[in-house]
Amino acid sequence: MGGLKYIKVTRCPSGMSLETRTRIKNKRYESGVLPYRDMGYWEQEYKIKHTDILALFRMTPQPGVDPIEAAAAIAGESSTATWTVVWTDLLTAADLYRAKAYRVARVPSSNEVYFAYIAYDIDLFEEGSLANLTASIIGNVFGFKAVRALRLEDMRFPIAYLKTFQGPATGLIVERERMDKFGRPFLGATIKPKLGLSGKNYGRVVFEGLKGGLDFLKDDENINSQPFMRYRERFLFSMEGVNHASCLTGEVKGHYLNVTGATMEDLYERSDLCYQLGSVILMIDLVIGYTAIQSITQWSRKHDMLLHLHRAGNSAYARQKDHGINFRVICKWMRMAGVDHLHAGTVVGKLEGDPYMVKGFYATLLTTKAAANIKNGLFFPQDWASLRRCVPVGSGGIHCGQMHKLITYLGDDVVLQFGGGTIGHPDGIQAGATANRVALESMILARNAGHPYLSEGNSILTDAARWCGSLRTALDVWHGVSFNYTSTDTGDVVESETPVR
Ligand SMILES: O=C(O)[C@H](O)COP(=O)(O)O
Ligand SMILES: [Mg+2]
């Protein structure tokens, strides 16, 4: 990617003169319809306050709609405005509460898509509530007729606001201490088939995977309490597998028990059983919604349990470039909500994941202070205000033959999860788990000894396989498997600055 330049967004050169501003101020409270920009939702000279919440939208105005008016409309509809001037504005601190679009820039290589930067006063939002934040930021505004498509690309949260969220209760460092795993990625596997196993057979998969060398086994995102295996059976047999494998290996092990259910009462009942059975970790799916997630993060903190979040559902709105919510924003919200694990991409596996974008997601979950980095999609710097680090999870179509690439792209602070890549091993589940553990430890050993492990990855694995039949078989079966497709969600590359006008 060397030599390519990334967008440096500039302030729009047009804006309100003092004279226009005074005229608007006088006109502002006349009854009737005014363009949003004239209602005060566009303020080119706006001085960002360190307590402001900032949002960056990628917007496609309808043909003929002025991009600045569209940006002002987004600011208006996501804060205080409606389509006409209302006299009750006079009864509020409207100047303060109006969100301000302060910058609009054309997206590189497009004549119709723009970035709109908007600042929101902190008092527009209830403390510690994602439901309240999101009802504004991704609310009605996404259905606004004047805008053909809209995507929330990034947000910056001030320390004052972040301090009203709990963040991960356990976080990376304490998870390593509790699990007693250091200096390497955690290793896990998703049980397959996703649906249909009995409790007893399910528990056997948990046992074999953990006994073979994994740290975690995991429920899949769509297993809850179906007729073929109610949740109690799954939890009981899974925990039997965990305890048995821990005794035999002398290692701390876990299985993410998915407590997702139809109601909060179900979630609490299932979480209570996890706790009573002595599980170190439980799991929820993103589809349960922000309020339910925040409730379970509080429950997990109270019960000293790790909380794993599967991002099931995110690609329905996060993947397409022009409309929806960028996954980096979901990463921010979930770190604030306080989950300890979040699926964040593998680069090489079967699911969407441009390397630069995935790097940005991992940085969002793991840094204490992130600098802006357009290449990785981080439009704003973000100080995380001591919120603990959320462990990214790399899962979806990965196998041990990719170990050198996984470590290169994802680093050490990650859970690497191989579902098919454990349970599909021709010699069985234990053999699949052992192959992954040996591949991982050989690669870390080679890296720590100073070998260029990315370029020598295949030979490092082949050497290790001389002493490990399980790894040899796994490499023979999967070495040719790769998922090389063009990414949908990529960064914005430009040759030069592109101000609006
Ligand atoms: O939930 C997941 O991450 C996937 O189901 C993982 O399964 P795979 O490793 O077999 O792709
Ligand atoms: Mg899955």
Side-chain angles (χ1 to χ4, degrees):
M1 298 293 282
L4 291 171
K5 282 191 196 156
Y6 291 82
I7 190 165
K8 186 174 166 226
V9 181
T10 57
R11 277 180 183 278
C12 172
S14 73
M16 279 188 266
S17 67
L18 196 60
E19 199 183 304
T20 324
R21 185 184 273 279
T22 317
R23 180 175 57 77
I24 286 163
K25 211 168 176 186
N26 296 338
K27 233 181 134 200
R28 174 72 180 80
Y29 297 109
E30 284 173 16
S31 179
V33 182
L34 269 183
Y36 287 89
R37 60 184 292 172
D38 291 350
M39 285 196 244
Y41 295 101
W42 164 248
E43 202 172 322
Q44 189 193 346
E45 298 90 8
Y46 181 68
K47 226 173 148 346
I48 296 165
K49 300 196 294 280
H50 68 270
T51 52
D52 282 344
I53 288 162
L54 304 180
L56 169 63
F57 292 90
R58 183 189 297 264
M59 60 168 191
T60 314
Q62 293 285 8
V65 172
D66 171 22
I68 289 185
E69 175 60 6
I74 293 166
E77 290 289 330
S78 59
S79 59
T80 53
T82 187
W83 55 276
T84 186
V85 174
V86 292
W87 70 267
T88 34
D89 269 1
L90 283 167
L91 305 176
T92 71
D95 284 345
L96 179 74
Y97 294 145
R98 268 197 293 276
K100 281 96 179 166
Y102 61 90
R103 187 183 293 175
V104 173
R106 196 159 52 75
V107 166
S109 3
S110 167
N111 288 325
E112 52 170 17
V113 188
Y114 297 84
F115 286 131
Y117 288 78
I118 297 174
Y120 298 84
D121 189 86
I122 191 170
D123 278 351
L124 286 168
F125 306 106
E126 180 180 343
E127 300 87 342
S129 170
L130 284 181
N132 178 252
L133 175 81
T134 53
S136 290
I137 306 283
I138 55 165
N140 270 352
V141 69
F142 271 71
F144 212 38
K145 279 185 179 168
V147 176
R148 190 144 50 88
L150 190 63
R151 190 187 201 207
L152 178 58
E153 279 295 334
D154 202 0
M155 296 193 75
R156 182 211 71 174
F157 295 103
I159 290 177
Y161 183 65
L162 284 182
K163 282 289 187 190
T164 68
F165 287 83
Q166 65 167 11
T170 309
L172 171 70
I173 302 294
V174 177
E175 175 164 351
R176 284 203 178 283
E177 289 167 357
R178 275 197 204 160
M179 296 301 297
D180 197 25
K181 316 284 178 221
F182 302 95
R184 64 162 173 86
F186 297 96
L187 264 187
T190 315
I191 303 224
K192 305 287 171 176
K194 298 198 215 194
L195 304 174
L197 287 168
S198 68
K200 180 126 180 123
N201 282 332
Y202 202 90
R204 279 179 55 184
V205 179
V206 173
F207 168 74
E208 291 200 23
L210 295 178
K211 168 76 172 31
L214 305 183
D215 308 312
F216 293 117
L217 260 286
K218 145 181 194 291
D219 288 348
D220 221 329
E221 68 278 2
N222 52 354
I223 192 145
N224 299 150
S225 193
Q226 284 103 323
F228 55 82
M229 178 178 47
R230 299 297 179 191
Y231 84 93
R232 292 182 64 84
E233 294 164 74
R234 187 168 90 255
F235 287 13
L236 286 165
F237 283 113
S238 297
M239 285 312 297
E240 185 185 57
V242 169
N243 293 334
H244 191 184
S246 296
C247 290
L248 291 179
T249 58
E251 291 186 16
V252 185
K253 307 276 187 187
H255 175 78
Y256 320 158
L257 294 164
N258 191 349
V259 299
T260 298
T263 64
M264 277 316 291
E265 289 73 22
D266 288 343
L267 264 83
Y268 285 128
E269 191 179 294
R270 294 169 194 193
S271 304
D272 281 337
L273 183 59
C274 288
Y275 177 68
Q276 284 161 22
L277 293 174
S279 179
V280 293
I281 188 161
L282 73 159
M283 163 178 171
I284 47 173
D285 292 332
L286 184 62
V287 290
I288 66 174
Y290 304 126
T291 298
I293 291 170
Q294 286 197 266
S295 293
I296 293 295
T297 59
Q298 285 180 16
W299 185 96
S300 308
R301 176 178 287 267
K302 209 163 118 197
H303 292 80
D304 288 319
M305 286 178 73
L306 293 161
L307 181 61
H308 175 94
L309 178 68
H310 190 294
R311 60 175 171 168
N314 93 91
S315 287
Y317 50 81
R319 189 174 182 194
Q320 295 301 322
K321 218 167 154 170
D322 284 344
H323 192 83
I325 312 171
N326 193 298
F327 185 68
R328 80 178 62 89
V329 179
I330 306 292
C331 290
K332 290 190 177 176
W333 293 347
M334 292 304 106
R335 184 168 175 183
M336 287 154 68
V339 302
D340 294 300
H341 286 185
L342 175 60
H343 286 233
T346 64
V347 179
V348 298
K350 69 184 180 186
L351 303 174
E352 172 75 29
D354 171 79
Y356 295 98
M357 299 300 99
V358 170
K359 200 166 182 184
F361 305 154
Y362 277 55
T364 299
L365 297 173
L366 285 170
T367 44
T368 44
K369 263 187 193 173
N373 181 334
I374 299 297
K375 193 169 155 185
N376 296 329
L378 305 176
F379 289 85
F380 300 112
Q382 178 66 61
D383 184 331
W384 278 99
S386 321
L387 259 58
R388 288 187 179 186
R389 290 185 276 170
C390 176
V391 181
V393 175
S395 184
I398 56 175
H399 60 82
C400 57
Q402 301 157 323
M403 199 59 85
H404 46 302
K405 294 182 187 161
L406 290 167
I407 294 172
T408 303
Y409 286 125
L410 310 180
D412 277 4
D413 294 328
V414 58
V415 187
L416 296 177
Q417 279 176 188
F418 307 80
T422 302
I423 293 151
H425 194 288
D427 300 333
I429 299 158
Q430 276 199 48
T434 304
N436 288 329
R437 181 77 176 258
V438 172
L440 175 67
E441 295 203 356
S442 317
M443 204 56 67
I444 295 290
L445 198 66
R447 182 198 64 187
N448 293 353
H451 291 283
Y453 64 98
L454 181 59
S455 56
E456 291 179 7
N458 287 331
S459 60
I460 292 166
L461 290 172
T462 311
D463 278 354
R466 286 167 56 213
W467 312 103
C468 176
S470 310
L471 180 57
R472 181 67 271 151
T473 306
L475 295 175
D476 288 346
V477 175
W478 291 314
H479 84 277
V481 177
S482 59
F483 301 90
N484 293 324
Y485 297 94
T486 308
S487 296
T488 305
D489 181 19
T490 50
D492 295 289
V493 184
V494 286
E495 298 304 325
S496 59
E497 291 182 8
T498 47
V500 178
R501 60 181 83 143

